[in-house]
Amino acid sequence: MTTREQRGIVIAATTKLSDNHGVWVVPSQTGSDKRYMVDPRKGTCSCPDCQETGFKCKHQWAVEFTLKREQHADGTVVEQKTFKWTEIKTYKQDWPAYTLAQTTEKHRLQVLLADLCSTVAEPEYAGIGRKSIPITDRLFACAFKVYCGLSVRRYACDMRDAHERGHLSRPLHPIKVCCFLQQPELTPILRELVARSALPLRALETDFAVDSSGFSSSKFVRWYDEKYGTERSGHDWVKAHICTGVRTNCVTAVEIKDRDAADGPMLPPLVAKTAENFTINEVSGDKAYLSVANVEIINELGGTPFIAPKINTTGSAGGLFEKMFHYYQYNREDFMAKYHKRSNVESTFSAVKRKFGDSVRSRNPVAMVNEVLCKFICHNISCVIHSQCELGIEANFWNGQDGNENNILKLVR
């Protein structure tokens, strides 16, 4: 069987061909608006393959297979009727567990957040000047302030309550939190804590999705639009690139670069960071992440990439890129079912923005980044709490079970 025959079988099996007084109309596989006219009696087709080469094209084979399928040997013809039906799916919610998680989340979050911050080792005192506030207190105060969503003055009561419960080692003035958020040495620690806060869910997540979104600020910026030759202004924003699990919506890795940074180059560090703690089975992403390098890096990490092809994508690059392109062409329904798992990353951004705000209060560039990272830490701990109530998992923020010194994060000065 030739390649054209094989493709003809696929067309006959997956598309609807119509007979117009002996001339068959065959839809194109590359464009939904294209149609080719096949006359089986004359052996002609209007497609470029038949016109240029004179060979029997895949569209002619599709018509031939359709005729054989619909007409019996005795000359009787099978009349086919089609109908459309809609399946309604319902998803069961464990409401008692959901209610328990919601009504106890704030108390549980403080305990888990303090435990998470305790994984950060305290820097050694240099013996000069006043000792700095413990790093665990600074991290806890920043993240809990973002969780509460209050101004620093109104947040003072929550901070005193946290100190009384033993989550802070000393009373802190609320204005100090603003100073903590502006410390650049906290940024890599907070980024690592985002990944570490998802560790309790590593047994549940094997499929992941990547995407980016922005968090606006009250700060206005101006720029010159070279295309239209005019000066423009608007809100500044922080663009966050994340990798999230599609089952629990936990954020497994985050990258925050320039606010106009492209999405494609962010995929390798995101999936590489995820692979350090999780077993990767599938990774889905939109067309912005499509490249040969991204497909290969996912494959090297043990996963299968499901990234939607662009309108001009071909399989000429070879290798796994070509295989996934053909998988998309000939098994589109199955491919799209796996690809649409990426909708969960949209749900993750929606949950973070609805719960912790779609903007940042800070105006300092460093504080803006740190505030967004704190949002993802709080979101991950919320996911852990819900999994604790619904699935009975244990919140373990260590890579190993012993919690030894090798697993403790270091503050880099």
Side-chain angles (χ1 to χ4, degrees):
M1 181 179 291
T2 65
T3 304
R4 290 184 175 88
E5 289 181 79
Q6 294 175 359
R7 294 177 179 176
I9 292 176
V10 173
I11 295 175
T14 59
T15 60
K16 180 176 178 57
L17 281 64
S18 58
D19 182 11
N20 185 16
H21 304 290
V23 178
W24 288 76
V25 181
V26 183
S28 171
Q29 289 185 294
T30 58
S32 58
D33 57 337
K34 293 182 181 180
R35 300 289 187 275
Y36 296 116
M37 312 304 293
V38 177
D39 189 338
R41 293 169 298 183
K42 297 181 180 179
T44 60
C45 178
S46 60
C47 73
D49 184 31
C50 181
Q51 296 290 331
E52 296 174 4
T53 65
F55 293 120
K56 190 173 182 179
C57 66
K58 60 183 179 181
H59 308 105
Q60 292 173 285
W61 281 112
V63 172
E64 182 176 320
F65 291 130
T66 303
L67 288 171
K68 290 180 179 179
R69 181 183 62 193
E70 298 183 353
Q71 187 171 0
H72 296 303
D74 58 359
T76 58
V77 178
V78 178
E79 180 181 355
Q80 295 183 352
K81 293 184 178 180
T82 60
F83 63 93
K84 183 178 180 180
W85 60 281
T86 304
E87 180 184 5
I88 300 177
K89 292 184 178 181
T90 57
Y91 299 92
K92 186 178 179 181
Q93 175 70 51
D94 187 350
W95 288 110
Y98 180 82
T99 301
L100 176 62
Q102 291 284 304
T103 55
T104 61
E105 183 182 274
K106 192 170 185 178
H107 288 167
R108 287 171 176 260
L109 180 132
Q110 295 178 63
V111 176
L112 294 178
L113 180 59
D115 185 38
L116 176 66
C117 294
S118 68
T119 63
V120 181
E122 191 67 28
E124 295 182 2
Y125 175 55
I128 302 175
R130 180 191 299 179
K131 289 185 178 181
S132 60
I133 296 175
I135 185 67
T136 55
D137 287 352
R138 283 181 273 167
L139 294 170
F140 181 92
C142 292
F144 192 43
K145 191 267 181 189
V146 171
Y147 176 83
C148 294
L150 302 173
S151 65
V152 289
R153 293 178 178 84
R154 296 169 62 197
Y155 170 59
C157 294
D158 293 292
M159 198 152 50
R160 281 196 294 269
D161 292 341
H163 174 253
E164 292 174 0
R165 293 189 177 98
H167 304 316
L168 290 173
S169 63
R170 65 173 73 177
L172 296 176
H173 194 281
I175 300 299
K176 283 285 187 181
V177 181
C178 298
C179 301
F180 300 157
L181 286 171
Q182 296 179 22
Q183 295 176 352
E185 62 268 22
L186 294 187
T187 302
I189 299 294
L190 290 171
R191 187 188 300 113
E192 185 65 28
L193 288 182
V194 172
R196 189 171 292 274
S197 60
L199 283 179
L201 305 172
R202 58 189 177 275
L204 304 176
E205 295 289 4
T206 57
D207 300 339
F208 303 91
V210 293
D211 204 359
S212 66
S213 186
F215 293 82
S216 64
S217 72
S218 59
K219 182 180 178 181
F220 274 80
V221 293
R222 295 180 180 272
W223 69 91
Y224 183 77
D225 192 329
E226 295 186 3
K227 181 177 181 180
Y228 298 100
T230 183
E231 189 177 74
R232 299 183 182 275
S233 64
H235 284 281
D236 196 8
W237 70 87
V238 179
K239 187 176 182 181
H241 307 260
I242 67 170
C243 180
T244 180
V246 302
R247 182 176 180 184
T248 63
N249 293 100
C250 65
V251 178
T252 59
V254 60
E255 290 288 338
I256 300 179
K257 302 295 184 181
D258 183 74
R259 66 176 193 166
D260 297 315
D263 290 352
M266 295 295 105
L267 186 140
L270 288 175
V271 294
K273 183 62 179 178
T274 301
E276 293 179 6
N277 303 314
F278 291 80
T279 300
I280 296 181
N281 183 34
E282 297 177 5
V283 177
S284 55
D286 59 26
K287 299 177 182 180
Y289 296 96
L290 183 65
S291 71
V292 175
N294 286 349
V295 168
E296 293 297 336
I297 189 64
I298 294 173
N299 180 58
E300 291 174 3
L301 295 172
T304 303
F306 290 95
I307 304 176
K310 302 176 183 178
I311 192 172
N312 60 344
T313 300
T314 66
S316 59
L320 181 63
F321 190 92
E322 180 181 6
K323 293 179 181 178
M324 295 308 300
F325 175 74
H326 289 304
Y327 183 24
Y328 168 78
Q329 291 291 337
Y330 299 116
N331 299 277
R332 187 165 303 186
E333 184 176 352
D334 184 58
F335 183 97
M336 296 307 290
K338 296 179 181 295
Y339 163 73
H340 281 302
K341 290 181 180 180
R342 69 163 296 277
S343 301
N344 289 276
V345 72
E346 303 285 357
S347 300
T348 300
F349 275 120
S350 177
V352 172
K353 291 183 177 182
R354 282 186 289 107
K355 192 167 185 178
F356 307 113
D358 59 356
S359 61
V360 292
R361 294 172 176 264
S362 306
R363 296 177 61 86
N364 179 274
V366 175
M368 290 166 59
V369 172
N370 289 343
E371 187 175 342
V372 171
L373 293 174
C374 288
K375 290 178 186 286
F376 291 121
I377 293 174
C378 295
H379 166 76
N380 278 358
I381 296 179
S382 298
C383 293
V384 171
I385 293 171
H386 281 259
S387 296
Q388 279 182 314
C389 295
E390 295 183 6
L391 305 175
I393 69 165
E394 180 183 354
N396 176 26
F397 296 117
W398 305 87
N399 277 323
Q401 300 297 324
D402 54 349
N404 56 31
E405 180 69 18
N406 293 330
N407 290 323
I408 298 179
L409 299 178
K410 298 292 186 180
L411 176 63
V412 181
R413 288 193 174 275

